[in-house]
Amino acid sequence: MIRVLLVHDTCLVRSALAEWLRREPDLGVFDTPWHTAPGRLRAVRPDVCAADLDCSDAYGIPPLGELSVREPDRSPPRLLVMASANRPGLLKRAVEAGALGYVDKEGAAPERLARGIRRVAEGKRFVDDSLGFGFLQAAEMPLTRRELSVLSLAAEGASIAEIAGSLCLSHGTVRNYMAAITRKTGARNRIDAIRISQGQGWL
Amino acid sequence: MIRVLLVHDTCLVRSALAEWLRREPDLGVFDTPWHTAPGRLRAVRPDVCAADLDCSDAYGIPPLGELSVREPDRSPPRLLVMASANRPGLLKRAVEAGALGYVDKEGAAPERLARGIRRVAEGKRFVDDSLGFGFLQAAEMPLTRRELSVLSLAAEGASIAEIAGSLCLSHGTVRNYMAAITRKTGARNRIDAIRISQGQGWL
């Protein structure tokens, strides 16, 4: 029996997917939204964590790190993510979090999710081909971590002065970062850079 | 038998929800993503169209108008939407499109979706209580249509000059609109106004 913790923020979707998976005789399925995932993880101790990369909190960035917390007497759960090729920033985060499985939710049927869970439970990789272009874009992420911090604050509505204050930079340096970000993302201006970066899941 | 057309852009979710609904003996279920919905609607001629308000195209605004096209020899399908209270802009659009049913996807189980479909098929309203605050906010939408057009163009990355050009306004008038929008949304600046408006589904 493979113990699975399904993480998804939309109740309607989570219930329907969990019910689908529960009909598979070899899967023991538990489910949770993102905000209670860490606690459920400790209680359920799943073999596989199957997590949707869309998260309704934290500006849409899922707290993947919280799913791979190590405990003394056991190995951490294997991670499978439900992803989209058009959000390369989220794919990159999943790679960094050590996910073994990548199911394309824009193209896959639930059967494919079940197959992915079984592969990942064996410690093997499972990657939908249709995510390929997304991975390519993820590898080509143009912004540095510092530039991303600047852009995240700008996207929250912070002014140049506020960004400078919170990152301990001069106003001129923040302006230089913003210019570099706009150029590197191929944007027309600051707002366009935020739009492009959010659309791709960098922010 | 109630003929239902389920409209949802995420394949994995659509398949799981459709399969769930197909187990109900009184529902005949068809499913489609948004971009092929108008054609499927003409082919399937459903009694109820159950549509998710998240749409992956068109900057996230679902083309609800295309679901209520009248044909000569029959009444248009009844519309039920799967919605969230925190996107009042989308709720408002659903109201304007004449939706009879409103299922809160953040809180509802699939049973509730099935119940809503049956109610709406009888021509009755079906509204999840938990969406109440969303409807209240929808009624308090602070921006005029003109202001929304200006803000939509700004959110796409257009400059003041480009916005002025496409809406046949002077630069000063566009600046005045932007100032009014920032004030009315309680935003700190233009980027903040876009963030707030997108978050609530106005844009």
Side-chain angles (χ1 to χ4, degrees):
Chain A
M1 181 72 119
I2 303 171
R3 289 168 74 83
V4 181
L5 180 62
L6 181 72
V7 185
H8 199 299
D9 267 355
T10 311
C11 178
L12 186 66
V13 172
R14 190 173 66 241
S15 306
L17 273 180
E19 220 171 291
W20 196 99
L21 291 172
R22 278 189 193 109
R23 285 186 285 154
E24 301 289 299
D26 60 331
L27 303 181
V29 181
F30 304 82
D31 65 274
T32 175
W34 273 103
H35 71 275
T36 51
R40 292 283 285 154
L41 202 69
R42 283 190 296 274
V44 167
R45 302 187 147 224
D47 302 299
V48 175
C49 198
D52 182 58
L53 284 184
D54 278 313
C55 173
S56 58
D57 296 329
Y59 299 101
I61 302 301
L64 285 162
E66 295 175 12
L67 299 185
S68 52
V69 176
R70 276 164 203 286
E71 291 189 58
D73 55 340
R74 67 190 306 273
S75 53
R78 264 95 187 221
L79 178 60
L80 173 146
V81 296
M82 294 172 260
S84 305
N86 60 10
R87 314 262 342 249
L90 297 183
L91 277 177
K92 190 180 168 82
R93 284 169 206 270
V95 172
E96 287 168 355
L100 277 179
Y102 301 81
V103 171
D104 181 4
K105 60 183 171 177
E106 307 300 339
E111 289 82 359
R112 192 117 184 107
L113 177 60
R115 206 180 312 159
I117 288 169
R118 291 190 189 99
R119 286 279 295 181
V120 166
E122 293 170 2
K124 294 182 184 145
R125 254 184 206 295
F126 181 90
V127 183
D128 270 338
D129 291 343
S130 49
L131 292 172
F133 187 63
F135 283 112
L136 178 69
Q137 288 189 294
E140 290 172 342
M141 159 62 178
L143 304 181
T144 64
R145 279 194 180 277
R146 203 57 204 260
E147 287 165 346
L148 272 180
S149 312
V150 169
L151 195 61
S152 299
L153 289 170
E156 290 165 28
S159 64
I160 295 287
E162 287 167 326
I163 296 171
S166 34
L167 299 180
C168 300
L169 299 169
S170 74
H171 291 204
T173 306
V174 173
R175 274 184 222 286
N176 287 346
Y177 274 126
M178 288 303 314
I181 290 163
T182 304
R183 183 173 37 78
K184 284 171 152 189
T185 54
R188 289 178 285 173
N189 53 44
R190 206 174 295 177
I191 293 175
D192 205 27
I194 292 170
R195 181 185 67 85
I196 290 169
S197 302
Q198 283 179 333
Q200 305 208 328
W202 301 125
L203 284 188
Chain B
M1 180 72 117
I2 304 172
R3 289 168 74 83
V4 181
L5 181 62
L6 181 72
V7 185
H8 199 298
D9 266 354
T10 309
C11 178
L12 187 65
V13 172
R14 189 173 67 240
S15 307
L17 273 180
E19 220 171 290
W20 197 99
L21 291 173
R22 279 190 192 108
R23 285 187 286 155
E24 302 288 300
D26 59 332
L27 304 181
V29 181
F30 304 82
D31 66 274
T32 176
W34 273 103
H35 71 277
T36 51
R40 292 284 286 156
L41 202 70
R42 282 189 297 273
V44 167
R45 303 187 149 225
D47 302 299
V48 175
C49 198
D52 181 59
L53 284 184
D54 278 314
C55 174
S56 57
D57 295 330
Y59 299 100
I61 303 300
L64 285 162
E66 294 177 11
L67 298 185
S68 52
V69 175
R70 276 164 203 284
E71 291 189 58
D73 55 340
R74 67 191 303 275
S75 53
R78 263 96 186 218
L79 179 60
L80 173 145
V81 296
M82 293 172 260
S84 305
N86 60 10
R87 314 258 349 244
L90 296 183
L91 277 177
K92 190 181 167 84
R93 284 169 205 270
V95 172
E96 288 168 356
L100 276 179
Y102 301 81
V103 171
D104 181 3
K105 61 183 171 177
E106 307 302 338
E111 289 81 0
R112 191 119 183 107
L113 177 59
R115 206 180 312 160
I117 288 170
R118 292 190 188 99
R119 285 279 296 182
V120 166
E122 293 170 4
K124 294 181 183 145
R125 256 186 205 293
F126 182 90
V127 183
D128 270 337
D129 291 343
S130 48
L131 292 173
F133 186 64
F135 283 113
L136 179 69
Q137 288 189 294
E140 290 172 344
M141 158 63 178
L143 304 181
T144 64
R145 280 195 181 275
R146 201 61 204 260
E147 287 165 344
L148 272 182
S149 312
V150 169
L151 194 61
S152 298
L153 289 170
E156 289 165 28
S159 65
I160 295 287
E162 287 167 327
I163 296 171
S166 35
L167 298 180
C168 300
L169 300 169
S170 74
H171 291 202
T173 306
V174 173
R175 275 184 220 284
N176 287 346
Y177 275 126
M178 288 302 315
I181 290 164
T182 304
R183 183 174 37 78
K184 283 172 153 188
T185 54
R188 289 179 285 172
N189 52 44
R190 206 175 294 177
I191 292 176
D192 205 27
I194 292 170
R195 182 185 67 83
I196 290 169
S197 303
Q198 284 178 333
Q200 304 208 328
W202 301 125
L203 284 187

